[in-house]
Amino acid sequence: MEEGLSGMSKVKICGLTEIREAEIVNQYSADYAGMVLFYPKSRRNLPIGKAKEIITVLSSNIKKVAVVVSPTVEQIKNCKEAGFDYIQIHGICTKEVLYQSELPVFLAINIGNGGIGKVMGHKKIIGYTLDGKVPGNGETFDWKLVKSFNRQGKLFMLAGGLTPENVAESIHILKPDIVDVSSGVEYKNGKGKDPEKISQFIREVRKREEIGGKERWNGIMENLAGNMYQNH
């Protein structure tokens, strides 16, 4: 897996359903906030009107991501009108939807036992979200299956079963640009986001990035020192 484009992992808290959760995300300074739309099968599904209310509460520094499954052109236009910055597409993503979308797209790829198949490329796709076989069920996939993933110069978002306990390891192994969590920061009964878990998750990411920054710096200095000795 190549180094993340930014060199640091950002945090996306997904599946917001309440104003209270937006305030928590503001408090702990997440980088992205996601909301599920047009998918009644999900317990986190929101009416577009409720999503608009949550967007008005979120800090302007936090990017808003509409999470949809096999969307229609009308639905992606509704996402744009609601004030979202990005759209994350699971399921079927048609060329017509990509052509019509005014929002940059994160294309979700569900990882089964066979790893990654053929990946669609398009200029509207700014990144890929690698997720578990069943999105939203809180289960991880075998990270070894995607270590050689070719992100084609685009952003790499890692999802699927991330928690405060395993997110640092995921960053160390895969170096994603964005780590995406939903069920991993919810209360045990699955009803709503837990402020303490969100705080812990973000702390773990920032701590890992601090360690990673030092490792990268030490590596640079070692290379420079090696080059110096070679030149003498």
Side-chain angles (χ1 to χ4, degrees), residues 174-185:
L174 295 179
K175 301 176 177 60
D177 296 291
I178 305 164
V179 284
D180 183 358
V181 64
S182 184
S183 58
V185 291

Side-chain angles (χ1 to χ4, degrees), residues 12 88 106 128-130 155-159 176-180:
K12 174 171 170 261
Q88 181 174 315
F106 283 102
Y128 298 103
T129 302
L130 302 191
L155 293 171
F156 162 39
M157 184 189 300
L158 179 64
D177 296 291
I178 305 164
V179 284
D180 183 358

Side-chain angles (χ1 to χ4, degrees), residues 8-22:
M8 295 182 65
S9 295
K10 297 186 181 297
V11 174
K12 174 171 170 261
I13 306 296
C14 200
L16 301 190
T17 59
E18 304 173 4
I19 297 294
R20 175 190 69 85
E21 295 174 347

